[in-house]
Amino acid sequence: MVFYRGVSAISRLRSRAVVQQSSLSKSVRWIQTQSSSELDLKSQMREIIPEQQDRLKKLKSEHGKVQLGNITVDMVLGGMRGMTGLLWETSLLDADEGIRFRGMSIPECQKVLPSAQSGEEPLPEGLLWLLLTGKVPSKEQVNALSKELAHRAAVPDYVYKTIDALPSTAHPMTQFASGVMALQVQSEFQKAYEQGDVHKSKFWEPTYEDALNLIARVPVVASYVYRRMYKDGSIIPLDDSLDYGANFSHMLGYDSPQMKELMRLYVTIHSDHEGGNVSAHAGHLVGSALSDPYLSFAAALNGLAGPLHGLANQEVLLWIKSVVEECGQNISKEQLKDYVWKTLKSGKVVPGYGHGVLRKTDPRYECQREFALKHLPDDPLFQLVSKLYEVVPPILTELGKVKNPWPNVDAHSGVLLNYYGLTEARYYTVLFGVSRSLGICSQLIWDRALGLPLERPKSVNMDWLDNFMRSKR
């Protein structure tokens, strides 16, 4: 099957759908299933990049002065929400539709991306290929990429020593980010830049090496943190016969087929969510200074660790367990309504509900719910999550202060992990971080391939705003 997007020069930046049609135009962009005889990943990148470099030059030369919208004071004061100001090739988020990876929705990815021989969920390696090339890989290509990532996954001893220098009680994200920073010692980009023997048009090549090495190694570092904190330091080595998601589950200490399937799904759906969220934007911002992928991704992790971003997934499970502790597992909907109102009236939010962009139920929530309905329909915590899905949105709508009353990805993931034995909610953001390496590192490669400049927006103070308003009277 062949999927493609037909887009004009401007709407390419905001394409919202993958369509099928019989005729092609010059603006058509292909997303296609490849045969196993086609090129390896890096060779594919070498073929694709010149075309995209020309595309960017054309957009800039022909449409560089076209306005994409108006900037309001609310946007300046409100965290730049709704402001279009960043190029992010690997995914696009629509408020009503949800995320698309290179034009493909999550259900489409589940349908066409290769899965493990014994599973149904897409392999994260396949999504990585899609994010980098815009093409759906063959099973053979995904298998080869799995082996390549396993080959790249060796972590130097000094990385472990860096983590060990921290108290075992340090937050898992602190330990994880420190490990990523220690990996930076082997940066190929930094070495090439310091030697001065790589033209800027080829900066993407050492960035590619760093990015794939980083993606390969973060599950090893993350599982080391987990085993150090929660399993008395007994380390489980990588198994190079397993795929990326299954290996991560294995190194954490969870070898059930369903947990491996869940990890494949988890990594895939958490991998990317366009460029405006805190972690993605932080990675891009730091990378725009020509900081290598290790430095950039460490910055992204520190953003992800914030309670308003990736830390929210641990808060959801803790809140759900607090409901059970106070009201019992067989809580009625009326009791649940009372507890939700109690939470809101105390000045807190209901974790896992609402989103900065989305205005509907998060598709990432929906696919996790489908997984639960298939594998754990009778789990009491899942049943409580289902009741919350019925109870919370009407209350938030009645409250009138929330633009999106629907659940996001965090509302479900903790319950699934808890069911399969990974109960340490404090660790959950590390899983998010491992997943996000695929999207952020893919975009960093394209940042260097396209020669995107240093990010430097203009800031103003309140005096400036007051004076500007007076000038408009």
Side-chain angles (χ1 to χ4, degrees):
M1 181 177 286
V2 179
F3 295 91
Y4 59 90
R5 287 186 290 178
V7 290
S8 68
I10 297 305
S11 64
R12 284 173 184 167
L13 296 176
R14 293 183 153 186
S15 174
R16 294 183 174 180
V18 174
V19 296
Q20 290 182 307
Q21 58 187 32
S22 59
S23 61
L24 302 175
S25 67
K26 291 181 181 179
S27 62
V28 164
R29 184 174 182 188
W30 290 85
I31 295 178
Q32 60 187 359
T33 303
Q34 307 167 34
S35 68
S36 61
S37 62
E38 292 194 20
L39 304 173
D40 62 45
L41 182 54
K42 194 169 186 180
S43 298
Q44 286 248 335
M45 295 292 292
R46 285 197 183 99
E47 284 201 347
I48 295 167
I49 284 170
E51 171 194 335
Q52 298 306 310
Q53 289 172 334
D54 290 342
R55 183 182 177 200
L56 183 70
K57 289 176 183 176
K58 186 177 180 181
L59 271 172
K60 191 171 182 179
S61 64
E62 294 183 2
H63 306 287
K65 304 302 181 183
V66 174
Q67 293 187 359
L68 296 179
N70 297 315
I71 297 175
T72 66
V73 174
D74 277 343
M75 290 176 176
V76 174
L77 301 180
M80 298 191 290
R81 287 177 184 257
M83 187 185 299
T84 300
L86 180 64
L87 183 66
W88 193 269
E89 285 291 281
T90 51
S91 64
L92 188 68
L93 180 60
D94 182 86
D96 298 313
E97 188 178 58
I99 193 65
R100 282 185 176 269
F101 304 118
R102 290 288 189 169
M104 301 184 72
S105 67
I106 288 175
E108 287 170 340
C109 287
Q110 288 178 297
K111 184 179 295 184
V112 303
L113 288 178
S115 59
Q117 187 172 357
S118 58
E120 297 177 357
E121 299 299 341
L123 292 166
E125 299 92 318
L127 185 76
L128 174 60
W129 192 295
L130 175 66
L131 294 177
L132 281 170
T133 68
K135 299 178 181 180
V136 176
S138 67
K139 185 66 167 69
E140 291 81 3
Q141 288 169 323
V142 166
N143 289 342
L145 183 54
S146 290
K147 289 182 172 61
E148 180 182 351
L149 291 173
H151 179 71
R152 289 174 178 264
V155 173
D157 285 342
Y158 57 78
V159 174
Y160 301 124
K161 291 177 181 177
T162 299
I163 296 170
D164 288 342
L166 295 167
S168 61
T169 54
H171 194 280
M173 284 297 285
T174 302
Q175 299 186 50
F176 184 38
S178 298
V180 169
M181 283 297 296
L183 286 171
Q184 192 274 341
V185 174
Q186 293 188 340
S187 171
E188 294 292 330
F189 180 87
Q190 184 188 50
K191 186 191 307 179
Y193 190 84
E194 288 178 348
Q195 292 173 350
D197 56 2
V198 179
H199 189 271
K200 64 180 181 180
S201 65
K202 299 294 183 182
F203 278 172
W204 74 268
E205 294 192 8
T207 300
Y208 177 95
E209 296 302 322
D210 278 354
L212 262 68
N213 286 338
L214 177 58
I215 290 168
R217 294 169 187 172
V218 289
V220 181
V221 174
S223 60
Y224 182 83
V225 171
Y226 179 75
R227 303 293 298 182
R228 177 178 187 250
M229 292 188 69
Y230 304 113
K231 304 297 178 182
D232 299 320
S234 59
I235 307 306
I236 301 173
L238 177 143
D239 182 345
D240 59 12
S241 70
L242 296 176
D243 59 81
Y244 189 87
N247 231 325
F248 189 21
S249 180
H250 166 71
M251 289 187 290
L252 289 169
Y254 302 94
D255 280 314
S256 74
Q258 286 187 12
M259 180 59 169
K260 289 176 179 176
E261 272 287 87
L262 174 60
M263 195 58 69
R264 293 174 186 126
L265 176 65
Y266 184 101
V267 173
T268 296
I269 65 174
H270 285 79
S271 64
D272 205 25
H273 217 230
E274 78 167 27
N277 64 76
V278 171
S279 56
H281 190 195
H284 170 81
L285 172 63
V286 174
S288 76
L290 294 187
S291 299
D292 62 62
Y294 298 98
L295 299 174
S296 303
F297 186 62
L301 289 178
N302 290 328
L304 192 68
L308 295 182
H309 190 22
L311 206 68
N313 59 5
Q314 79 174 36
E315 300 300 323
V316 172
L317 185 63
L318 295 175
W319 184 81
I320 288 173
K321 287 187 173 181
S322 74
V323 175
V324 174
E325 287 173 8
E326 185 166 326
C327 306
Q329 286 188 342
N330 297 319
I331 184 173
S332 68
K333 288 183 182 178
E334 288 304 314
Q335 290 175 302
L336 195 53
K337 287 179 183 178
D338 291 341
Y339 194 89
V340 170
W341 275 114
K342 176 184 173 183
T343 298
L344 294 171
K345 289 176 180 178
S346 70
K348 300 177 182 178
V349 299
V350 178
Y353 280 77
H355 192 273
V357 176
L358 283 169
R359 296 296 175 262
K360 59 163 282 183
T361 300
D362 192 333
R364 299 172 299 173
Y365 173 95
E366 291 174 336
C367 70
Q368 289 181 102
R369 176 173 171 78
E370 289 171 7
F371 187 96
L373 286 169
K374 181 177 180 181
H375 296 293
L376 49 138
D378 299 323
D379 176 61
L381 289 185
F382 167 59
Q383 292 179 343
L384 177 54
V385 167
S386 297
K387 288 179 183 176
L388 285 168
Y389 191 22
E390 298 178 43
V391 167
V392 174
I395 291 176
L396 294 180
T397 301
E398 181 183 343
L399 193 65
K401 298 179 181 180
V402 180
K403 292 181 180 179
N404 174 22
W406 304 106
N408 59 48
V409 65
D410 297 322
H412 218 306
S413 55
V415 167
L416 297 177
L417 295 165
N418 184 81
Y419 178 81
Y420 290 109
L422 209 167
T423 59
E424 298 86 0
R426 203 162 176 246
Y427 181 80
Y428 288 173
T429 309
V430 176
L431 302 175
F432 200 161
V434 170
S435 309
R436 194 49 65 90
S437 69
L438 274 68
I440 291 174
C441 288
S442 294
Q443 182 59 40
L444 284 170
I445 295 169
W446 276 104
D447 288 348
R448 299 290 75 78
L450 297 173
L452 297 186
L454 177 71
E455 185 175 321
R456 181 56 172 91
K458 179 73 176 77
S459 64
V460 296
N461 56 28
M462 286 195 285
D463 286 343
W464 188 97
L465 288 172
D466 284 337
N467 291 333
F468 184 83
M469 294 307 114
R470 290 190 194 101
S471 71
K472 292 294 181 182
R473 290 173 186 166

